[in-house]
Amino acid sequence: QVQLVESGGGLVKPGGSLRLSCAASGFTFSDYYMSWIRQAPGKGLEWVAHITNSGSKIYYADSLKGRFIISRDNAKNSLYLQMNSLRAEDTAVYYCARYLITSFGIVRDASDIWGQGTMVTVSS
Amino acid sequence: SYVLTQPPSVSVAPGQTARITCGGNHIGRKSVHWYQQKPGQAPVLVVYDDSDRPPGIPERFSASNSGSTATLTISGVEAGDEADFYCQVWDSSSDHWVFGGGTKLTVL
């Protein structure tokens, strides 16, 4: 079935780095734009970044630009988020999510499939 | 940057109709998407492009968007509908996704 599974979360010290992965299955990964979205404990959803299906275009939330890098490997059906210079305020559940493609084949800027999330805790 | 404003909470009795609003500057000119998130779970898309439902979403979930307010309407509310709801748009001026702050729906 259509599935996204994140991994790579954990406890990291301030200033450290972490690389998240998202394994896709059950659909043609290379057809889909993908996003990372995070949610701090007890808080709302915050968009982090997204990448087009070919990887040719990438967009980041302004507050994260320069510290986080989104990438993908279509041959491995995988999405990645390299997180550097981590801060306490980066503590959150990180979700990968697939852009919606309608039944008419139109890409929409919404996510119809989400992973279960991976927890990142930044603390000394 | 573009801002979406939602009420922190909405309460409704079972069987009644819940309306959750999402305010934004000229939001009627944008496509609004709605997500439901139950505790400990990932969000689920319940409405996209203002009023379309993905497969598997009950007809009880409907939405509209006009002027400065988008509204998600849940008819015949059930206990299982209790969740946080988020609106979301694409802000073309910044090439960013924007989420509302979320609304906690409580079924009395």
Side-chain angles (χ1 to χ4, degrees):
Chain A
Q1 83 267 26
V2 175
Q3 197 172 7
L4 296 170
V5 178
E6 302 95 336
S7 61
L11 175 63
V12 61
K13 288 182 168 55
S17 297
L18 212 54
R19 189 194 196 208
L20 306 184
S21 299
C22 171
S25 59
F27 64 98
T28 305
F29 181 71
S30 59
D31 285 348
Y32 286 83
Y33 294 15
M34 297 293 295
S35 297
W36 286 100
I37 295 153
R38 70 182 183 181
Q39 186 171 35
K43 302 297 184 182
L45 300 173
E46 179 186 16
W47 171 74
V48 171
H50 63 244
I51 185 169
T52 56
N53 58 325
S54 65
S56 61
K57 291 186 180 180
I58 288 172
Y59 301 92
Y60 296 99
D62 290 342
S63 60
L64 302 172
K65 206 175 293 186
R67 295 193 300 124
F68 288 16
I69 300 171
I70 187 173
S71 63
R72 65 190 296 159
D73 185 337
N74 287 341
K76 295 183 177 180
N77 292 332
S78 293
L79 177 73
Y80 306 102
L81 186 68
Q82 177 67 41
M83 303 186 295
N84 302 320
S85 302
L86 284 163
R87 308 166 181 167
E89 54 264 35
D90 297 317
T91 294
V93 174
Y94 285 73
Y95 295 101
C96 68
R98 182 184 85 168
Y99 265 61
L100 170 69
I101 296 180
T102 71
S103 56
F104 300 103
I106 300 172
V107 177
R108 303 305 299 133
D109 46 47
S111 283
D112 65 339
I113 301 294
W114 296 60
Q116 84 288 350
T118 188
M119 183 70 204
V120 172
T121 303
V122 184
S123 174
S124 55
Chain B
S1 60
Y2 195 76
V3 176
L4 294 174
T5 301
Q6 298 182 237
S9 63
V10 167
S11 298
V12 65
Q16 298 303 303
T17 297
R19 293 179 179 83
I20 298 172
T21 59
C22 176
N25 189 35
H26 298 297
I27 195 174
R29 299 176 184 174
K30 300 182 181 295
S31 289
V32 179
H33 317 297
W34 291 91
Y35 301 88
Q36 177 187 41
Q37 185 181 33
K38 297 181 180 180
Q41 298 183 20
V44 172
L45 181 68
V46 293
V47 168
Y48 68 95
D49 285 355
D50 295 338
S51 59
D52 290 334
R53 282 185 306 276
I57 301 301
E59 292 184 7
R60 302 186 296 105
F61 290 83
S62 63
S64 62
N65 182 22
S66 178
S68 61
T69 305
T71 303
L72 174 69
T73 301
I74 309 170
S75 305
V77 167
E78 304 171 354
D81 296 332
E82 198 163 88
D84 294 325
F85 289 85
Y86 295 90
C87 57
Q88 177 247 314
V89 301
W90 166 257
D91 178 23
S92 57
S93 65
S94 62
D95 288 335
H96 286 13
W97 281 25
V98 178
F99 285 97
T103 298
K104 180 176 181 59
L105 174 66
T106 299
V107 181
L108 301 171

